[in-house]
Structures are given as structure tokens and as C-alpha cells.
Amino acid sequence: MKRIVALLLTVAVMLMGMAMAESAFTPAESYDAGERAFHAGEVALTEAAQGGGEVNTVRYAGIEGKDYTDEKVYTALNSMAATTDLNWNPHAWETNDDDNVMSPMVTGLYAFELNENRDGYAIIPEMAADFPTDVTEEYVGQLGIAEGETGKAWRIPLNPDACWENGEKITADDYIYSMQQQLNPKMLNRRADSWYAGSLTIYNAKNYLYSGKTTYDPIQDTVAALTEAGEKLYVDLAGFWGLGGALDADGNEAPQYAPIDDETLYRDLAVEDESEDEAWVSAKYLYETYLADGMPYADYQTEYLCTADIAPETRGTRWASKRSTSTPST
């Protein structure tokens, strides 16, 4: 597909700056790591909502006889192309280069490590003390949860040894504060969607972020059915065609989402010669040429065609915690 970038979504939860207390650095010549024993357990989890199958929790123990405690023997290297304008804010990072540098500096609730058979990943608690417990029934009648539902609310015990650089314990309130900042309606952070899209979300988070503003969501039905129902459809110009920052003939910047019948032409700077085909494109052209039923990329309609809605005003927002777990709600 022309210039459609497949985004590699980082499988991680709760990117936030935190550090584990550690002792002062000791030169390698006198390096003594002590015992590095671990027990990952043999718990098999089954994802409730999507039914994705077993989750392995037994990680690879390494090559027998190899001393992984000696930093002179075992070294991991990574590299990245030199670049500028790096953004290492966990709430707003943009590129893979940002992530390459930032990832070693942050810790999620769970880590994905090589499993014992070296054919997939094992899930290991890190900032969490154990695996989630389904507590959906405790919230029936709240947060949009109906009687009999499961997999909607989870309690995650936090690692009691986790602390900040000054030795203070990391608590559920710290997580909640970070979530509030990431979803701050005034900041509109790039990674705010971490809490309203995907499998681990905060109830009503998107409305909290975009309170009173127009929101766009990928279509959940066929174009024919939505059109018959009177829904207005939009093309994701930036996501599908990379038109972020593109201008029309009057110097107006292209919106991220434009109606599928919008004929406004935007200059695609990826095409150097302005006289060439597709140097100027519109939402209508992209839809009719690529995304409409029967066109080459109709299979991507659920990614790049959207419906629009106005997020309801959210006032009196409540954020609560139960010390061992973060349970924000709006």
C-alpha cells in the first residue's frame, strides 16, 4: 500500500518514569551481583474478553552453565540512527527512536520475556506483584458494568518493593496521577489513547479527554449499512496517505479527518513534481480510488474510515484508588 505505515504497537502497559532504588555502581573488576534467582511460576491465564488462549508465564532460564551475572560476559547492545528532536516523555513520545531510548528507563506492570521454549513470550510481573484478579462483580451498576458481565474490571496488586529514587513507595495514587496527566484535556497528549483504545482501558476515558469536542472512531459496520443509516464517513488523511501538515491551494492545513465527499485538494509533498499524478489529492479521491468497496484497499476500511461524534461534557470526574491497585473511573 502506498505510504501506509504499519505501526508496531508496543506491548506494554503504563509507560511512566519511575526507577527502582539501587546501590551505587561498583567497577566491573570487583563485580559481585550476588544470587540472581527467580521463580516465574507456572500459571496459565486465559484472556476473558477476547478469548485469545493461554498466556505463558514461564520464562527462558538461559544456557546451562553460562554465567549471566558477569557483566563482562553477557552484554546486550542496541543501536539507533542519529536523529534530532527526540521526545522521551512517556505521555507524548512519537517515534521508534524515542521508544528505543525511553524503554530502558521505564517499567510497566508486566514484562514480556522470552519463554522457556524460546518460541514466544512469557508474561512476568514487574511493577505488579501478581497477575490481575477479575473484580467485575464488585462494580455492577457502575462504570457501565451490567449484572453477569466479566472481564471489565481488574485488581492489580502493586510491587511492594517499587519505590522512587528518594526511597518513597510507589503507590496506586502515583499511577492515578500519571493517568490524569496523560488524559489531561488541555494537554491532549499523543499517547492518551493508551487509556481509551486497546484491551486495557479506563472507563469513559475518551470522553474525559475530548469533553465537548468532536471525536473520530474507526467504522464498526459496513459502508453500505452506515450510509443507509445516515452516518457521515471520514477518511483519515494522515493515517492513510500521510497528509499531516499538507496544505491546500490557499495555504490551509489539511485536517486529519475529512468527509469522504470532500473535494478539497491538498499538496502531497512526497510527490516532488507538482504536475505528476497524485501530487494533489482530496479525501473524495482517496476514498473513491482506494478505500471504497471494490477498490484496492477496501479491506482497510475499518482502519482508515471513521465516523464522528461529539464527546459528552464530563464534569465532577471521580478518580479513586484502593492502595493496592489503581481503579480510576469517570
Side-chain angles (χ1 to χ4, degrees), residues 4 14 18 24 40 47 49 68 86 92 114 121 158-159 178 202 259 282 287 323:
I4 293 181
M14 300 190 176
M18 54 183 64
E47 188 175 1
Y68 289 92
L86 288 176
L114 187 66
Y121 291 99
L158 299 180
N159 187 335
S178 183
I202 296 175
S282 68
Y287 171 71
R323 305 310 300 177

Side-chain angles (χ1 to χ4, degrees), residues 122-136:
I123 301 178
I124 309 298
E126 283 198 335
M127 293 302 292
D130 205 340
F131 293 99
T133 302
D134 188 344
V135 293
T136 304

